[in-house]
Amino acid sequence: MIVKKVREEIARQSTPENMMNMQRWFKEKLDNPIGLKGPIFKKISNQFFKEIKNEPKKQILEYCEEFLASEKGTERGVAFMWADNISDQLTKADFPRLETWLKKYVCHWGACDTLCCGAMGKLVAKYPELYPKVKKWTPSNNRWLRRGAAVSMIPSVKDGKGLKEAFAIADILLTDNDDMVQKGYGWMLKVAGDTFRDEVFKYVMKNKKEMPRTALRYAIEKMPANLKKEAMKKDQ
């Protein structure tokens, strides 16, 4: 079975020189903070995905579910990456499953971004009628749902779509006091600015008095120096 083979390879590669302490990247206390270095983890994921890439979508998603049931972050990462690998096959009917993954299995920003910038975000970009479902996450007490609402819009705005909906999500999250959420919607605005620079700059200038500086800095990071200076200038 492919899941067993992946687990065996992860165990085989889990030598001291291949390991890293993930805890240093996260404020949240991780249950299993020791994981494989990124390039090694990605190599394993890609290596074994090649063996099952021609299997039906349903079967691949079942493999993902088996990985997600594990308490190990590395295995959950494989699940999110494999789902991303078949994102072109996903349909609206798969949204509830991915939403459940976000609610049940995401416990830090790395997992949130892998899922929401990957399979979830690409699905939402493919079916803009899902935007309202994503927006419904914004009042949640779950910080990863709130961050996920913004990050899931990144593939859309990157493709030049969904700006109105992205601004609507930013409006709700504007004064959120969680820095993970601030960075999430700030990142969304930054990516939107690649295509819609004037609109994003106007949005930032309109809201900069209320917008936390963390979100503001993310949003304007890639803008020209003169615009960044104007946005960061405190009103007298």
Side-chain angles (χ1 to χ4, degrees):
M1 176 187 266
I2 192 67
V3 172
K4 182 181 178 182
K5 290 171 68 175
V6 172
R7 287 173 171 161
E8 288 175 347
E9 183 63 15
I10 289 173
R12 190 180 75 81
Q13 295 278 7
S14 295
T15 56
E17 62 270 22
N18 289 342
M19 305 297 285
M20 66 182 296
N21 186 355
M22 306 295 292
Q23 187 62 68
R24 65 192 175 113
W25 300 105
F26 304 101
K27 293 182 179 180
E28 307 79 27
K29 182 172 175 55
L30 305 180
D31 292 334
N32 296 283
I34 305 301
L36 289 172
K37 292 179 180 178
I40 296 168
F41 161 66
K42 290 179 182 177
K43 183 178 179 180
I44 294 172
S45 176
N46 292 335
Q47 172 189 337
F48 287 99
F49 181 76
K50 291 177 182 178
E51 295 187 19
I52 53 94
K53 65 180 182 180
N54 293 321
E55 293 189 22
K57 176 186 74 172
K58 181 177 183 293
Q59 181 60 66
I60 295 174
L61 290 174
E62 287 178 3
Y63 294 145
C64 292
E65 295 276 5
E66 192 168 348
F67 283 127
L68 288 169
S70 167
E71 293 295 322
K72 297 179 180 179
T74 304
E75 292 187 21
R76 291 182 175 183
V78 171
F80 293 152
M81 290 184 70
W82 283 12
D84 187 24
N85 288 343
I86 60 167
S87 58
D88 60 331
Q89 301 178 45
L90 299 178
T91 69
K92 285 188 291 184
D94 296 305
F95 180 85
R97 183 197 293 261
L98 298 187
E99 184 177 40
T100 296
W101 290 2
L102 177 59
K103 292 177 179 179
K104 190 173 180 179
Y105 299 116
V106 167
C107 59
H108 57 72
W109 63 261
C112 180
D113 296 355
T114 302
L115 175 60
C116 293
C117 244
M120 176 66 84
K122 292 174 183 178
L123 178 64
V124 171
K126 189 192 302 187
Y127 299 102
E129 57 267 37
L130 293 174
Y131 290 154
K133 292 183 179 293
V134 170
K135 186 179 177 182
K136 287 182 178 179
W137 302 339
T138 53
S140 174
N141 291 326
N142 183 334
R143 69 194 309 198
W144 306 121
L145 280 173
R146 302 200 307 280
R147 180 183 174 97
V151 176
S152 292
M153 291 299 299
I154 287 177
S156 292
V157 296
K158 188 175 182 178
D159 288 343
K161 302 179 293 186
L163 183 65
K164 177 182 176 182
E165 289 78 12
F167 282 160
I169 287 172
D171 283 344
I172 299 170
L173 301 177
L174 191 69
T175 58
D176 197 294
N177 60 11
D178 190 315
D179 68 328
M180 289 291 101
V181 179
Q182 295 168 15
K183 291 174 182 178
Y185 86 77
W187 179 20
M188 174 187 69
L189 293 174
K190 176 172 65 176
V191 175
D194 289 340
T195 303
F196 304 103
R197 190 183 72 183
D198 292 345
E199 292 89 338
V200 171
F201 182 69
K202 182 178 179 181
Y203 180 88
V204 168
M205 293 301 293
K206 175 185 175 183
N207 294 288
K208 71 173 189 172
K209 289 183 179 180
E210 292 77 31
M211 187 182 294
R213 300 300 266 188
T214 296
L216 177 60
R217 289 189 182 96
Y218 266 71
I220 65 174
E221 183 179 345
K222 295 170 68 176
M223 290 189 178
N226 63 314
L227 297 184
K228 288 198 280 189
K229 182 177 180 180
E230 186 175 354
M232 291 299 293
K233 182 171 61 178
K234 294 184 179 180
D235 295 331
Q236 302 298 322

